[in-house]
């Protein structure tokens, strides 16, 4: 049986965009005081599993909802850190920056083709690393995503460009990254393959 059993405010993919509306406000709870753009935090300095009621009730569409869960992209339960503040809604971006990311799985592989492709795609700064697809930590990718979010929060449009999407990861890993970029309003595209 395939019926519409989705909850209010839930998208077809099962991931709600409600968190963006909630995070457009500072949390009014004095024990949290998370700024706009960041998830709520617990008294122990962790990312809260749910947004505080006082915060999500600031959003008229969510005023009668019982709770708003923190999405996986915000890593509930992990150490809380402040994220870039969102750009004011309705304002046009001032300029556009294209950042690039290149990755090879082994030290023997060359990055030259990827670097050339990214340069041709108009990328102004490229983050690159030689690291296995199986590696759970990719410092240069993390740095690229962080810089993209910071630039976007300053009012400039940002696109992260890769030679091929598989350079970012596969499966759930790629989906999580795409959600993180979407939450920061950062574009993602692949450069034309030669």
């Amino acid at each position: 049986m395939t019926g519409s059993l989705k909850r209010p405010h839930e998208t077809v993919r099962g991931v709600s965009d409600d968190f963006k509306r909630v995070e457009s406000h500072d949390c009014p709870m004095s024990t949290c005081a998370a700024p706009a753009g960041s998830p709520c935090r617990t008294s122990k300095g962790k990312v809260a599993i749910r947004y505080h009621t006082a915060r999500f009730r600031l959003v008229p569409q969510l005023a009668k909802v019982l709770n708003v869960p923190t999405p996986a992209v915000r890593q509930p339960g992990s150490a809380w850190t402040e994220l870039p503040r969102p750009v004011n809604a309705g304002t046009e971006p001032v300029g556009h920056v294209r950042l690039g990311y290149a990755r090879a799985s082994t030290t023997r592989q060359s990055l030259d083709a990827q670097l050339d492709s990214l340069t041709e795609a108009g990328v102004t700064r490229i983050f690159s690393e030689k690291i296995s697809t199986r590696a759970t930590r990719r410092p240069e990718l993390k740095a690229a995503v962080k810089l993209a979010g910071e630039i976007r929060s300053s009012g400039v449009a940002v696109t992260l460009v890769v030679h091929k999407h598989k350079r970012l990861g596969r499966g759930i890993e790629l989906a999580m990254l795409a959600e993180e970029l979407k939450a920061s309003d950062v574009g993602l595209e692949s450069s034309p393959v030669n």
Side-chain angles (χ1 to χ4, degrees), residues 31-77:
T31 55
C32 173
S38 295
C40 286
R41 59 183 153 190
T42 67
S43 59
K44 294 185 178 179
K46 303 283 185 186
V47 176
I49 295 170
R50 293 179 195 79
Y51 291 96
H52 293 114
T53 305
R55 188 179 192 186
F56 70 73
R57 289 211 169 142
L58 295 172
V59 180
Q61 305 94 314
L62 302 175
K64 296 186 179 183
V65 175
L66 296 178
N67 69 64
V68 177
T70 304
V73 70
R74 293 301 196 228
Q75 301 175 343

Side-chain angles (χ1 to χ4, degrees), residues 93-100 121-125 127 147-148 151-152 154-161 186-187:
V94 181
H96 188 201
V97 172
R98 293 169 67 78
L99 301 176
V123 169
T124 54
R125 180 167 175 191
F127 293 81
L147 179 60
I151 293 171
R152 183 65 191 109
S154 72
V156 178
V158 184
T159 302
L160 180 63
V161 184
V186 172

Side-chain angles (χ1 to χ4, degrees), residues 124-189:
T124 54
R125 180 167 175 191
I126 299 172
F127 293 81
S128 64
E129 57 195 338
K130 293 188 175 185
I131 194 165
S132 170
T133 305
R134 295 180 181 150
T136 56
R137 293 185 182 164
R138 297 187 188 148
E140 289 299 306
L141 178 57
K142 184 176 180 179
V145 171
K146 182 179 179 191
L147 179 60
E150 289 171 355
I151 293 171
R152 183 65 191 109
S153 68
S154 72
V156 178
V158 184
T159 302
L160 180 63
V161 184
V162 293
H163 182 64
K164 292 181 181 176
H165 284 136
K166 71 178 184 179
R167 294 287 146 215
L168 297 171
R170 300 177 192 270
I172 190 70
E173 181 181 47
L174 181 57
M176 292 287 288
L177 177 61
E179 283 297 318
E180 182 179 353
L181 293 172
K182 182 180 173 187
S184 300
D185 196 24
V186 172
L188 175 63
E189 70 180 55

